[in-house]
Amino acid sequence: MTDIAAAELISRLTKIVGAEFVQTAPAKMARFTTGYRFGDGPAIAVVQPGSLLQQWQVFKLCVESGRIVIMQAANTGLNGGSTPFDNQYDREVVVISGMRMNRIDLIDGGKQVLCLPGATLHQLEKTIRPLGRAPHSVIGSTSVGATVVGGVCNNSGGALIRRGPAYTQLALYARVTADGRAELVNHLDITLGEAAETILARLDAGDYDATDVLFDAGKRASDPDYAQIVRDLDAPTPARYNNDPRLLDEASGSAGKLCVFAVRLDTFPSGGPSKVFYIGSNDSNELSDLRRAVLTAFQTQPVAGEYIRRDAYELAVKYGKDIFLALKYAGTERMSTLYRLKSGFDAFTKRIGLGDNLSDVMLNGLMGILPNHLPKRMNDFAAKYEHHILLRMDGTGIDEARAWLAARFPNATGDFFECTDDEADAAFRHRYAVAGSSVRYRAVHHKRLDNLVSLDMALPRNIDDWREDLPVEVRPAIEMTMAAGHFLCMVFHYDYAIKKGWDWHKVEADIIAHLAARGVEFPSEHNVGHLYDAKPALVDFYRSLDPTNTMNPGIGRTTRKRNWAN
């Protein structure tokens, strides 16, 4: 370890990547040091390397100078795990953003891909679609600009129940050894040489061919078991959750405890044309019957089954309209640019004393002038039914779902309709807009709110009553509630706007303790971040990856001290 003053460190970082790609001014660092939904903290610099070799040089220098390193991709996490968090660190923090390196290489005709740190899910989807292939996830994260590497590092779940959380055993990464050295590990099963600089320079140049790529039947590049796990509806445990030891393997689930340069992943055959069935009900039991039939009786496994409760539907109508319209008219590929422009505007207004909520107030006011943007049949169902399911089927599953639903609906408590292509697009676009609408609600009404409690939970597969269950004592604290999720997986996202005068941390802790007693796991798919306690198995995994606690310390509410000191 070398004792280097901050000014000297920044000078050396600038020589590696160029002055344009080293930020030290708080206003310019803000979009890297402030979370998409939660968390912010200090850093002495944000560095944006333009090559894998530069990333290695930056990482090595920061580690050897004794700094904390936070690796960052698109910064789309919900629980604060990809940015610094408050000011309780015992060393200076450097954020390394990998978004400039976004190459995707096709392997074995596109049956696998190699993705660099900045490659996004949307970019991956566009790259492999002409080959008749699809990535593990095509909702939510795809729209907001999340990266493939970020998904692997967080075991992100996605909505496609045939494929399971992002997972691979094939990765190229650097770690900090117990004696404080930076060490490169090539487990891509691609022959690239021995020395770190050689490996990275060759990968930067794409200097490898099919003969360099190894295929080991024992190495996994996707989760092989989830499609069956989710169908076991008598199991007393959740189908997927972030603390699941089954999916913790080097880069997979590492949550910033490694410096990841590339991952190698499976792709999947596209399912062909699909049909979305929009189901509304006021009876949770009949939707439980639907889930059991779809997952255990249908011959064709569904593509997706998304849930929106009426409060979430209505919230997104009012506070998520701009997201819906941006996705529809600007396109997914421009969403990350729009978020970046908004972040820059917020930083400017904060700097001149107008706060960082002005863009939200302005956008929401503008959207309020525009007419309702959703299809009439969806709005009619929102007026009639509390629970909404978006069931996407393909192949022979379309006729299976059509027959099953037609035999049971309409009835006194529910109904369904088959979406046109436009209605299907609108339904899933609205489902995505739900996630941003609660953030907008908090921003617009920040003067009367303490904060937003966002819960990311996985219910046991054998649960009978999956409806919201809140402790009585916290209910008076809540001004707004939003519920949505991946219904067939029993993965739910609840947001609660907490009134002024209440401690949102305590409200959150009370809800988590209450639900954990029922076998609910937290979090389900967005990583523990700085909101949730990492369970012992996950803490042990983090310590094995990062024995000096140099990388993203404090994740999972663990200690931030060097060498994991208490």
Side-chain angles (χ1 to χ4, degrees), residues 163-448:
R163 304 174 194 177
Y167 175 76
T168 187
Q169 296 174 325
L170 303 172
L172 173 66
Y173 61 87
R175 63 188 177 193
V176 182
T177 63
D179 59 354
R181 293 179 298 105
E183 178 182 65
L184 189 73
V185 178
N186 180 12
H187 284 170
L188 283 173
D189 277 11
I190 300 176
T191 303
L192 295 166
E194 297 298 327
E197 290 76 9
T198 302
I199 292 170
L200 295 168
R202 285 189 61 185
L203 196 55
D204 273 325
D207 180 19
Y208 67 96
D209 57 32
T211 62
D212 295 313
V213 180
L214 308 177
F215 292 89
D216 182 344
K219 293 285 188 73
R220 300 291 189 179
S222 61
D223 178 2
D225 303 318
Y226 188 75
Q228 292 305 313
I229 288 172
V230 73
R231 299 181 93 152
D232 183 3
L233 301 191
D234 296 319
T237 55
R240 55 181 164 99
Y241 58 100
N242 193 258
N243 286 287
D244 187 354
R246 185 179 69 87
L247 298 178
L248 300 178
D249 192 306
E250 297 185 340
S252 295
S254 57
K257 285 296 184 181
L258 297 174
C259 174
V260 180
F261 295 87
V263 294
R264 182 174 155 191
L265 291 168
D266 291 332
T267 66
F268 303 86
S270 297
S274 64
K275 174 68 72 173
V276 173
F277 298 89
Y278 199 103
I279 304 149
S281 178
N282 290 318
D283 182 356
S284 63
N285 290 324
E286 67 184 1
L287 295 184
S288 295
D289 292 342
L290 167 68
R291 173 173 170 259
R292 181 164 289 275
V294 166
L295 290 178
T296 63
F298 284 20
Q299 292 299 308
T300 302
Q301 196 165 16
V303 179
E306 292 298 290
Y307 173 75
I308 308 175
R309 202 170 64 188
R310 181 159 48 200
D311 51 19
Y313 185 102
E314 294 173 346
L315 190 75
V317 168
K318 186 173 182 180
Y319 295 94
K321 186 185 294 186
D322 61 310
I323 298 173
F324 181 101
L325 295 177
L327 285 170
K328 182 176 182 179
Y329 294 110
T332 300
E333 62 274 11
R334 294 184 178 89
M335 288 302 292
S336 58
T337 300
L338 293 175
Y339 278 118
R340 187 164 59 250
L341 291 172
K342 179 182 179 300
S343 178
F345 181 82
D346 291 341
F348 170 73
T349 57
K350 183 178 181 179
R351 190 163 64 249
I352 63 174
L354 297 177
D356 56 4
N357 299 301
L358 183 58
S359 66
D360 293 285
V361 174
M362 293 170 60
L363 282 169
N364 212 63
L366 176 62
M367 292 300 109
I369 300 172
L370 301 179
N372 189 288
H373 54 291
L374 296 176
K376 183 178 185 303
R377 290 201 289 182
M378 286 174 55
N379 286 329
D380 289 345
F381 266 43
K384 293 178 183 178
Y385 304 117
E386 180 182 5
H387 308 292
H388 298 227
I389 301 292
L390 285 57
L391 178 65
R392 186 184 291 276
M393 303 295 299
D394 61 9
T396 58
I398 295 174
D399 286 336
E400 283 187 281
R402 182 180 290 135
W404 193 93
L405 292 167
R408 290 160 177 81
F409 297 107
N411 60 33
T413 56
D415 201 355
F416 84 101
F417 63 86
E418 294 187 29
C419 293
T420 65
D421 289 345
D422 287 344
E423 286 173 330
D425 289 344
F428 275 87
R429 202 178 289 126
H430 189 60
R431 164 65 183 90
Y432 172 68
V434 164
S437 63
S438 55
V439 178
R440 170 64 49 75
Y441 183 93
R442 176 183 64 181
V444 171
H445 303 295
H446 66 279
K447 291 182 179 179
R448 66 172 189 251

